[in-house]
Amino acid sequence: MSIRQSGPLLDPFLKPRSVVIIGLSRSAIGSPVSVLTTLGDIGYPGRIYIVNPSMTEAPGATVLADVSELPETVDLAIVSVARNMVPETLEACAAAGIRAAVVITQGFADADAEGQALQERLVAISRRTGMRIIGPNTIGVACSLSRFSSSFIETSLDDLPVGQVAQSGFLMMGHHLVTNEPAGFCMSVDVGNACDISLNDVLAYYGQEEAVKVIECHVEAIDDGAGFMDVARRITARKPMVVLKAGRTKAGEAAVASHTGNVAGQSRVYDAAFAQAGIFQATSAEELRLFSKSLATYEEMRGKRVAVVSFSGGGAVLAIDALDRAGLELAHLSQATVAAIRDLFPDWMGVHNPVDIWIPVAKDLHHAFPRIMNAVLADEGVDAVLCIYCSYNLPKYAQFDASGHIRDLSAANRGKPIACWSYGQDIEGFTRTIEQKRSAVVFPTLDGAARSLALVARQTERRMAPLDEDLPAAVKADRGRVDAILGGALADGKEYLFAEGLEILAAYGVPMPKWAVVENEADLVERTAGLASPLCLKVDSPDVIHKSDSGGVVLGVDRDGGLLDAYRKMKADVLRNVPGARLTGTVVQEMARPGTEVMIGMTRDASFGPCIVFGAGGIHAEILDDFAFRIAPIGRAEARAMIEETAVAKILKGARGKPAADIEALVDLIQRVSALAAAHPQIRDIDLNPVFVRADGISVVDARIILSGTQRKGEAAREPEAN
Amino acid sequence: MSIRQSGPLLDPFLKPRSVVIIGLSRSAIGSPVSVLTTLGDIGYPGRIYIVNPSMTEAPGATVLADVSELPETVDLAIVSVARNMVPETLEACAAAGIRAAVVITQGFADADAEGQALQERLVAISRRTGMRIIGPNTIGVACSLSRFSSSFIETSLDDLPVGQVAQSGFLMMGHHLVTNEPAGFCMSVDVGNACDISLNDVLAYYGQEEAVKVIECHVEAIDDGAGFMDVARRITARKPMVVLKAGRTKAGEAAVASHTGNVAGQSRVYDAAFAQAGIFQATSAEELRLFSKSLATYEEMRGKRVAVVSFSGGGAVLAIDALDRAGLELAHLSQATVAAIRDLFPDWMGVHNPVDIWIPVAKDLHHAFPRIMNAVLADEGVDAVLCIYCSYNLPKYAQFDASGHIRDLSAANRGKPIACWSYGQDIEGFTRTIEQKRSAVVFPTLDGAARSLALVARQTERRMAPLDEDLPAAVKADRGRVDAILGGALADGKEYLFAEGLEILAAYGVPMPKWAVVENEADLVERTAGLASPLCLKVDSPDVIHKSDSGGVVLGVDRDGGLLDAYRKMKADVLRNVPGARLTGTVVQEMARPGTEVMIGMTRDASFGPCIVFGAGGIHAEILDDFAFRIAPIGRAEARAMIEETAVAKILKGARGKPAADIEALVDLIQRVSALAAAHPQIRDIDLNPVFVRADGISVVDARIILSGTQRKGEAAREPEAN
């Protein structure tokens, strides 16, 4: 056995010097759907072995009857035997010193219980032997640097510096097929069921791989959310990353479960995670391709100001709509720019952005088009050009063919993107010419062009002004006290905490009106002695979830008149509404001075951990979808940003001349909730609702803490209910 | 001069038996960009004359030196002479008995003041001579029935029963060019500047034209909104109509203004108008094409339940996301359907919707694919099939080519759409096969497929269950009193009415707390005698727009204690805040019993007339974009629908066990506002904000009426400000 070179994890997969194919049938020889055909078509330069006892020869490969007959220690095995044969095949590979295997075969965790058990055996083999596995249920890898592909589907090699990772082979191999264009990536990995090599492993590899400048990612479910955010944050500090999250809907999530054997988390958690990790999100397979292609093509875009140069006035109007939807702006052309091209237009025609160039180009395109484009590109007020033209490049239309000009202009002006939307015949040949120097992209839609430009501008902005590190505040807290309360509650089998929840919050310095817990009528006078009227009474019972609806809340009680009556009436009301309810106590609380009602919540996602929610409180929490969502921990700037993105922020900042509320106190409270969630994994959910925010501070008026003894795997994140 | 056959308005334009081209240069002979080339290419069977004194002959046409030399009365003139020559050319055409002219020339209302004046001359010629004009600034018409086109751009003829009307030639001629596909319409008209033949004229023509089954419409601005809604309502009762509204954004609106010489109204007005007239709206040129093609291709779709049949599991997940976004549902396959195809799949594989067919089709596509599709199409729980496949139709991939099957299956199942999303090589040839029988559409994106299917389902639903006529309620009102108040206010030069506004509303039966107008301290006791405390005081001044912000509102005043003090203080406060304000009076009003705060407004759009707005009131009107918008008049059902589409409706219907508010009283109030606006065009805006809605009725608490002596042409609709 030769001594193995140690190196980056995926090198044996993506850059193998030799490969053995196990499970190739005789009928696959010469078939268009066969890895051997693929390797022949793309000219793989390494050594190919086939293990098949019933085969004698194959073109370009050495055929063996058994893995043990291999004359060298090959870098990679491609395994597509029947599922029940996979474990022994992998054992044989490991015995032959093979350190990497792609398992194509389906029918593992993606299928039934037997498949799940088989997959666990693969994991065990990998752990024991050190052999790394991609798959099962994958079409594996493709790499243009090494001219290698493990796919049985025709593979197109491309040198666009995009590294692709997918949880479905469809996207990987389908990419160039969908578009009838070059593949759009130089490396691709389909992680399949990811029994060993994970999404995060591939991302980390692409992060270090020089050939990869942009990472595009198709995910259905992320198992290790915290690890994903960690690796993604390190990547996006240096390289842009674009993700397509499939299975966004409930129906879609069900299909994900049956497709990959995973359960997808809720869309909002993913949205927050991607945003916080600096990942751009695409909404369709087509947009994923456009975004990564644009980021790999355009070097930069230093602002949002776009000039529209169009063969058609009507097209320009649609372009402006698309730019506006994408958050871009229409550039203002300078007087000098207009003066430089004024003579090309009739006197009666205004020359401004959008520039309607039909009249000049109909007269003499090869003179007018480059003159206009050069003038517009030279304008300091222009950050990019969106060009709309007829893509006539049939010979008879040579006098209207702008493709060569666009190719050359874009190559000479790499600091200012030229985004193209074409109409006209022979689009494909025209597109090939324009994209020849990898300096411009032809977009299938104006919205695609505008959204891609907006992304390039955001990436440039991020590169030019990286964010300061935004650390969570250190929160002083009595952690021991909280652990003791939680331990006691869990021992008692409690799931919902109210009175104990208030104590926990107090231990983390959460601002609340003064309160006391009363267990009987004798307590009532003694324990409320330090409280100032008016008071409110709230029942504490494991059987009463919605206190108000059960008569378990009484407001505006005077301590020195009516307290006992109110106490008795509340208990009676609750017992009438919830017969048999265990009344473990009553919280007597000072009434908080009112303010704008907001809510802060925490819910623990099985993959990403604690998530923080902020939004409008009270009744508005129920009718408005006015929430901001973040994965904890978050710094003060991020907490401010999450407040800012809600509608209720407009009220907090002082609508119609009212004084601004104490937003910094809210930021502080978010930090405390985040710290509480981080330190005490027994807490599954926290609801603080309502929280009153005033100009002079805040009060948490009601609160609930929900425990989770065993953290449930695969549990979808839930929005806290209003209390 | 021959006697003209009378017939549908656009017949001479779209189906001319003879045509004269005026303005064709000698260099246009043989040019690819020339109407003569176009007519030759498409084989126009009529007689062609060219008027050009410096030309002697042209292929397929008779050349004359002057219009007066025409040997017959031709049906249509195509005019592209320089703009200042257009009037005399049209005069000559009219003198020659020509009754229809397409004016290609640019530089009229789309350009400068001189162009505007020239355009007015064209209108005058049309009025005087009876000659009808399309344009100027147009590329005119195309019609596959008559094999005619007036376009200098290559024209593709198609028999898809779509009638297209555009305000930009770009879309008309660009349609098939964008897509490299058949044109997508059998008739098209570019109305250009629409100096005579209008958008509404073309729509009315298509409404009657048998060959047109679907109407697609590109608009930048609609001049006669009321007329548009009238013609569109009559059309959509029988034929579906799809519109792309260009110039939706402020920036876009500016470009529209310079492009067509019109001013686009606000997007919200158009959205309301389209929805109320039963018009489907597309958001891009590509979607417009897909929607009209789908409506022309698929006969019906009797529900929302879609089966996904996919070569790729990962693709199926994306398809489900797209279906969900489009409001469609994943069908549940019956046991019988599953049983019919179970044997094609491995035992370990679940067979359900989405149906992942890779394994069966990889084994034997030509057996498995039609069997699976037939079983799924026969399932009574399936309303449509979304099919995802590899579009291999290279000869070597013949065993994976599903295109012929899809073509035949879709033609045999016209009651259940098969929507296709393809990946794979040679998409174009594959698409041609699938679409050969005009029974299926290949979509460029999954979202395009899903949104188009949703539209077909909505159209089927509408056809199967037409809406009952929803008439506005008859409102009893003292119209004479209102006209007198308005006449007086206008005579006084008033723009904003408060106290008089209350009187106007009272004359229309609008429910309000009792009030009195007080002009001085002497009035104070006498005029408020009939009012019950607590009261509020509100200043009435033409100089005070925001009463509260100026100290001009005092709440909770007791009539028998403090009324005079409050009156004096309020006047002093207002004069301090708005020095020199004219205090014409003070409204003393009973305090309304509180309720949920909503607002109702009316604003008059220059094109569409009175628009009604309903939404959340008070401070929430400012922070929430929670408005429903309708063009008046609206019936009771429409008023209920507009309340229903707001977030505040959830509160009105009784959130969290609270009693439902009196929504019928709101519906009644909307009818009253609508009637007030309809009867009194001097009123430009009405703001009723807040309106308190309780379980037992409603009260309009504050109101403002804004007058418009002269209705301003082109004024954009505005949302009422909160008062």
Side-chain angles (χ1 to χ4, degrees), chain A residues 154 247 312 321 397 622 656, chain B residues 154 170 247 321 397 622 656:
Chain A
E154 189 174 359
S312 151
D321 287 349
Y397 287 119
E622 298 177 44
R656 300 214 53 190
Chain B
E154 190 173 358
F170 143 78
D321 287 350
Y397 286 118
E622 297 176 42
R656 300 214 52 192

Side-chain angles (χ1 to χ4, degrees), chain B residues 268 599 613-617 620-622 624-630 642 645-647 689 719-720:
Chain B
R268 226 191 269 253
M599 64 88 64
V613 186
F614 170 79
H620 294 102
E622 297 176 42
L624 305 173
D625 190 32
D626 183 31
F627 295 112
F629 211 99
R630 292 292 188 285
M642 77 188 288
E645 74 189 42
T646 61
N689 185 20
E719 267 155 35

Side-chain angles (χ1 to χ4, degrees), chain B residues 219-402:
Chain B
V219 300
E220 292 181 340
I222 294 174
D223 269 344
D224 173 11
F228 173 83
M229 288 188 72
D230 187 50
V231 69
R233 275 195 170 111
R234 279 183 283 121
I235 288 170
T236 60
R238 294 174 298 116
K239 301 179 183 183
M241 196 173 150
V242 188
V243 70
L244 171 64
K245 171 68 178 76
R248 294 191 65 79
T249 60
K250 276 179 193 154
E253 282 169 19
V256 169
S258 62
H259 179 58
T260 68
N262 287 315
V263 175
Q266 225 191 26
S267 295
R268 226 191 269 253
V269 178
Y270 281 97
D271 291 344
F274 297 149
Q276 285 176 257
I279 301 170
F280 299 121
Q281 206 174 163
T283 57
S284 68
E286 293 79 16
E287 196 171 77
L288 181 67
R289 178 185 73 84
L290 291 179
F291 282 177
S292 53
K293 185 173 175 179
S294 298
L295 288 164
T297 299
Y298 298 119
E299 283 183 1
E300 62 177 10
M301 176 170 162
R302 287 176 162 261
K304 294 181 169 184
R305 303 161 304 173
V306 181
V308 177
V309 175
S310 177
F311 275 41
S312 151
V317 177
L318 293 174
I320 295 166
D321 287 350
L323 292 172
D324 186 82
R325 280 192 286 263
L328 296 173
E329 296 158 12
L330 206 53
H332 179 78
L333 297 183
S334 73
Q335 287 189 328
T337 303
V338 172
I341 56 175
R342 188 71 193 83
D343 63 296
L344 293 166
F345 297 84
D347 291 344
W348 52 258
M349 199 166 179
V351 178
H352 46 65
N353 186 18
V355 192
D356 184 341
I357 60 170
W358 171 249
I359 291 177
V361 301
K363 207 178 290 167
D364 184 357
L365 180 139
H366 295 298
H367 170 70
F369 186 79
R371 253 189 72 192
I372 294 168
M373 288 291 282
N374 272 316
V376 170
L377 284 162
D379 193 315
E380 288 188 359
V382 171
D383 299 312
V385 177
L386 177 51
C387 187
I388 301 176
Y389 48 82
C390 300
S391 67
Y392 289 127
N393 74 341
L394 301 176
K396 68 171 174 173
Y397 286 118
Q399 69 183 98
F400 297 101
D401 184 356

